[in-house]
Amino acid sequence: RNGYSHKTVQTETGAVEIRVPRDRAGTFEPQLVAKHQRRLEGFDEKVLALYARGMSVRDIQSQLFELYGTEVSPDLITRVTDSVLEQAKEWQARPLEAIYPVVYIDALFVSVRDGGTVIKKAVYVALGVRVDGSREVLGLWMDATEGARFWLRVLTDLKNRGVQDIFFVCCDGLSGFPQAIETAFPKAIVQTCIVHMIRASLRYVTAGDRKLVVASLRDIYTADTEQAAAAALDVFDTRWLKKYPSVSKLWRSRWNEFTPFLAFPKEIRTILYTTNVIESLNFQLRRVLRPKGHFPTDDSVTKILFLAIQRAQLRWNPNRTLWGQALAHFKIMFENRLPA
């Protein structure tokens, strides 16, 4: 009721003028910016925290006005968020561990302005499982197309950063990936994600048949052995081949990438046959991408995804007993490739 006094405080990015409410008796004690305080520590962190949650520049301006009673310019917010680009580049180039028993790869799609048009680009995220069972986001790669050349570039980047060996790579049937992995990591096994296989199969199936087709497919991927899975696929063909030949063709064309997990006990197959682990991360990333609509540049995508990854709660705490069983099998199957 007694108006405001104006004060200029210094932040990491520059000077900001704020309005401080005042009272007649002078008893008001500001909580966010104390009396006589001339430097506002942590201002950039607050801006970055809001940006990492998917808030637009306008939303951040509104939030800062509520907190500090100040109009922060879009240019200042952009300068703050641009400061993380260097961190993102260092993170993307950081050294990695020599061995990752399992690496999951999945994609999310973003709209980016290119000249006068907005195009869809794929952002690929790689998540590695260390020998101790903990996990680490290995990097982000963006490209408008995928193929053997693109994947060879990604895998070469991992090798240059110190990765010497990968046992399994779980992905969703990426175009050109098996050829690239054979070149970069010839000992690695490509495992197609079963969940993606089922989703891809159902694209060819009418709504009325989906439950029945899923039940028939379940007999294939829950088989005890590869031979039993092949027999189940033959049974599937007996029932569905004439009606849905594309489904059978899909499974047979990816058979070599589908079957590796069948060599393991059923209790540890879930570690290998699904990319759900990385999809839980991508779900969090999509939440911050969705409010943005489209992005002006690739760098703007990199900024928000890097911040979101740093803040993401990767809640996958591996079952140590389950991982121990998996590691015991890995030691037998890949005898001299694990550290003592």
Side-chain angles (χ1 to χ4, degrees):
R1 63 185 291 181
N2 295 290
Y4 299 85
S5 61
H6 294 265
K7 180 167 72 171
T8 299
V9 293
Q10 296 297 322
T11 72
E12 298 95 325
T13 313
V16 175
E17 185 178 278
I18 65 172
R19 297 191 305 165
V20 182
R22 62 188 179 191
D23 66 305
R24 188 179 298 273
T27 58
F28 174 67
E29 289 291 339
Q31 299 298 304
L32 292 174
V33 184
K35 287 182 178 179
H36 313 297
Q37 181 180 350
R38 289 294 176 179
R39 181 160 188 84
L40 187 58
E41 301 292 347
F43 179 81
D44 286 12
E45 284 76 7
K46 291 181 176 64
V47 173
L48 293 176
L50 296 173
Y51 190 78
R53 287 183 169 90
M55 294 179 68
S56 66
V57 171
R58 183 174 297 178
D59 291 336
I60 294 174
Q61 284 180 292
S62 175
Q63 185 69 24
L64 292 175
F65 184 80
E66 291 180 17
L67 287 173
Y68 300 111
T70 181
E71 292 283 355
V72 178
S73 70
D75 286 345
L76 185 142
I77 295 174
T78 300
R79 287 202 305 273
V80 172
T81 57
D82 280 349
S83 67
V84 305
L85 271 178
E86 197 60 38
Q87 299 175 42
K89 291 176 181 177
E90 291 176 3
W91 174 80
Q92 182 69 29
R94 75 194 188 283
L96 299 173
E97 297 195 7
I99 298 174
Y100 290 92
V102 185
V103 172
Y104 303 94
I105 294 179
D106 199 18
L108 48 123
F109 293 87
V110 296
S111 298
V112 182
R113 182 167 293 280
D114 185 9
T117 61
V118 175
I119 63 172
K120 286 281 188 183
K121 287 191 175 183
V123 180
Y124 292 93
V125 184
L127 183 66
V129 181
R130 302 185 184 96
V131 175
D132 65 0
S134 61
R135 64 183 185 174
E136 173 187 6
V137 178
L138 306 182
L140 298 168
W141 298 268
M142 188 184 308
D143 206 272
T145 59
E146 64 165 309
R149 182 179 298 178
F150 168 74
W151 285 115
L152 186 57
R153 176 165 62 85
V154 170
L155 295 168
T156 301
D157 178 37
L158 294 179
K159 290 190 74 171
N160 290 341
R161 291 162 58 197
V163 180
Q164 299 175 13
D165 198 5
I166 299 172
F167 299 168
F168 287 90
V169 183
C170 188
C171 58
D172 62 350
L174 302 167
S175 174
F177 190 80
Q179 298 88 337
I181 197 76
E182 185 177 354
T183 301
F185 295 96
K187 295 181 180 179
I189 298 171
V190 178
Q191 172 67 58
T192 294
C193 172
I194 306 305
V195 175
H196 282 85
M197 286 279 286
I198 295 170
R199 289 176 188 166
S201 299
L202 294 181
R203 292 174 191 162
Y204 307 106
V205 180
T206 61
D209 287 339
R210 287 190 173 185
K211 287 186 177 179
L212 296 174
V213 169
V214 168
S216 297
L217 292 175
R218 187 178 297 114
D219 293 335
I220 302 173
Y221 66 81
T222 59
D224 292 331
T225 63
E226 182 178 346
Q227 292 74 19
L233 182 55
D234 290 338
V235 173
F236 178 90
D237 285 351
T238 302
R239 183 175 183 182
W240 300 108
L241 181 60
K242 289 184 179 179
K243 194 170 184 180
Y244 301 118
S246 297
V247 176
S248 177
K249 181 180 179 181
L250 173 68
W251 285 76
R252 292 188 183 279
S253 65
R254 297 186 183 174
W255 191 254
N256 290 337
E257 289 81 43
F258 155 70
T259 55
F261 81 105
L262 294 174
F264 292 85
K266 290 187 176 181
E267 59 269 19
I268 65 172
R269 289 181 181 181
T270 53
I271 295 175
L272 302 175
Y273 75 67
T274 176
T275 57
N276 282 352
V277 170
I278 193 171
E279 286 190 13
S280 65
L281 169 64
N282 281 352
F283 174 77
Q284 298 177 66
L285 300 184
R286 289 187 182 97
R287 285 201 307 180
V288 301
L289 291 172
R290 196 174 296 118
K292 297 288 186 180
H294 68 269
F295 291 81
T297 62
D298 288 359
D299 282 347
S300 60
V301 178
T302 300
K303 285 192 299 185
I304 193 168
L305 289 180
F306 170 72
L307 288 170
I309 286 173
Q310 302 309 303
R311 295 184 59 85
Q313 299 299 313
L314 305 182
R315 296 174 182 173
W316 182 62
N317 296 317
N319 182 316
R320 295 297 176 183
T321 302
L322 189 62
W323 181 253
Q325 293 175 359
L327 206 58
H329 280 81
F330 292 161
K331 286 180 179 179
I332 295 172
M333 289 190 66
F334 310 109
E335 37 187 340
N336 296 323
R337 292 166 62 183
L338 273 171

